[in-house]
Amino acid sequence: MAVATELPVDAVIASGPPSAPRRRRRLALTPLLLLSPALVMLAVFIGWPLVQMVVMSFQEFGRAQIFGAPPSFVGLDNYIAVLTDSGFWQVLARSVLLCVVCVAATMVLGVLVALLMTKLGRVMRTAVSVALLLAWAMPALTATIVWGWIFDTQYGLVNYALSQLTGTDWTGHSWLIDPLSFFAVAAIIITWGAIPFVAFSVYAGLGQVPDEVLEAAQLDGAGAFSRFRLIVFPYLRSILVVLLILQVIWDLRVFAQIYALQTIGGVRADTNTIGVYIYSVSMASGDLGSGGAISVILVAIMLVISGYYIRSMLRQEEA
């Protein structure tokens, strides 16, 4: 006859699954292990060049250093030279103004295109999607060259259309000589290339808006603008904030479109933006120290913008 033995409660607790803490530790390490390849790539291709750029911004690094001469530490001299240069502030103001115009046009037109896609049939929506994808997939340099042909002084489509519509001869008119018309053309190219990303993102977000709420608001007499402002916009607020921050970052450091238009016919001294200005100071002038200082200042501006975005997202999550 077997005798049943009872174990103390402490022994039963102690004999619990010993692998539970180990399993929790393993689960906690799993996200880090999954992120490690991306973190390594970011550290190698972004982190290390960023560190080198910061170090270079405190050095006298010119053509002699490019060919092997040791750089000398100059402290904040590069930053003082940049911040006391009136040309830098003119370029920065010009870049910010162009960024504001492009971001505003991109956001408005992108949202309108997304709303239009919700009203189209399947065939037309597919056609619009394909057109947007083609515009989005075209490299910025290629798109700028094509737009340069459209605004060509002799054979451009814009000059031809204006000649036919106004009855005056626009042949030979250059859109890139004058800084104002130069940036108008640049804004068109930048906005044209950025609309697809905003349109697709907003169109995907519109699927989160309940149709029942929109139908109820329409039955109550709410107009299209009121329905968008009071119902659709709150659902899209987080998406629009992300898109707005990304567009500001991208448009503030735009390079390819401006540089290509300058090569086609623009006056570089009057049309430099911050991206082209950094390239001109670093490569054309050979002053990599000052170019690094300007780049660090631009990165600081980007970090401020990104920090505002992160704070707003955290506040939304807490709420």
Side-chain angles (χ1 to χ4, degrees):
M1 181 177 179
V3 179
T5 60
E6 294 184 0
L7 295 175
V9 177
D10 294 341
V12 174
I13 295 176
S15 62
S19 60
R22 189 180 304 170
R23 188 180 298 113
R24 293 195 195 96
R25 194 180 304 113
R26 187 181 304 167
L27 292 176
L29 292 176
T30 300
L32 183 60
L33 292 176
L34 293 175
L35 290 174
S36 57
L39 295 176
V40 171
M41 297 292 288
L42 289 174
V44 172
F45 293 103
I46 296 180
W48 178 242
L50 182 61
V51 171
Q52 286 185 317
M53 181 184 69
V54 173
V55 173
M56 190 183 298
S57 66
F58 294 100
Q59 296 175 337
E60 181 182 354
F61 206 104
R63 297 187 183 276
Q65 284 71 32
I66 295 176
F67 291 100
S72 58
F73 180 77
V74 294
L76 297 176
D77 289 353
N78 290 329
Y79 289 94
I80 295 174
V82 169
L83 295 176
T84 55
D85 183 12
S86 60
F88 166 75
W89 293 106
Q90 292 177 1
V91 171
L92 183 60
R94 194 182 299 149
S95 303
V96 171
L97 183 59
L98 177 65
C99 175
V100 170
V101 172
C102 293
V103 169
T106 301
M107 294 299 295
V108 172
L109 294 176
V111 172
L112 291 178
V113 171
L115 293 173
L116 175 64
M117 291 174 64
T118 61
K119 304 298 182 182
L120 297 176
R122 179 178 300 178
V123 176
M124 287 302 299
R125 185 165 59 248
T126 303
V128 172
S129 300
V130 171
L132 291 173
L133 284 174
L134 291 176
W136 194 16
M138 183 176 292
L141 182 59
T142 305
T144 305
I145 293 174
V146 173
W147 280 99
W149 293 339
I150 295 176
F151 284 93
D152 185 72
T153 57
Q154 297 295 328
Y155 309 105
L157 178 62
V158 173
N159 287 350
Y160 174 79
L162 289 174
S163 299
Q164 297 298 317
L165 292 174
T166 62
T168 58
D169 187 14
W170 284 77
T171 304
H173 176 74
S174 176
W175 294 91
L176 302 179
I177 294 296
D178 180 67
L180 184 60
S181 59
F182 176 94
F183 283 112
V185 175
I188 292 173
I189 299 173
I190 296 170
T191 303
W192 176 82
I195 284 177
F197 178 72
V198 176
F200 283 128
S201 301
V202 174
Y203 178 71
L206 289 173
Q208 302 176 4
V209 183
D211 295 334
E212 297 81 4
V213 179
L214 292 174
E215 293 175 359
Q218 187 174 6
L219 292 175
D220 290 339
F225 180 75
S226 297
R227 293 197 302 271
F228 177 82
R229 181 173 62 90
L230 299 174
I231 300 175
V232 177
F233 182 76
Y235 281 94
L236 298 179
R237 182 181 289 111
S238 59
I239 298 175
L240 293 176
V241 169
V242 174
L243 292 174
L244 179 64
I245 299 301
L246 291 176
Q247 290 302 321
V248 169
I249 293 175
W250 292 340
D251 292 348
L252 190 59
R253 59 182 180 85
V254 64
F255 172 81
Q257 296 90 331
I258 303 298
Y259 187 81
L261 286 178
Q262 290 176 344
T263 304
I264 294 174
V267 180
R268 182 161 298 177
D270 298 329
T271 57
N272 272 340
T273 56
I274 192 68
V276 181
Y277 186 68
I278 292 173
Y279 174 80
S280 300
V281 171
S282 301
M283 299 302 175
S285 301
D287 189 359
L288 296 179
S290 297
I294 301 172
S295 302
V296 171
I297 295 173
L298 182 60
V299 170
I301 296 174
M302 301 298 182
L303 289 177
V304 171
I305 298 173
S306 302
Y308 173 78
Y309 157 67
I310 294 172
R311 285 182 57 190
S312 62
M313 292 298 294
L314 291 177
R315 287 177 180 176
Q316 290 180 6
E317 291 181 358
E318 291 175 357

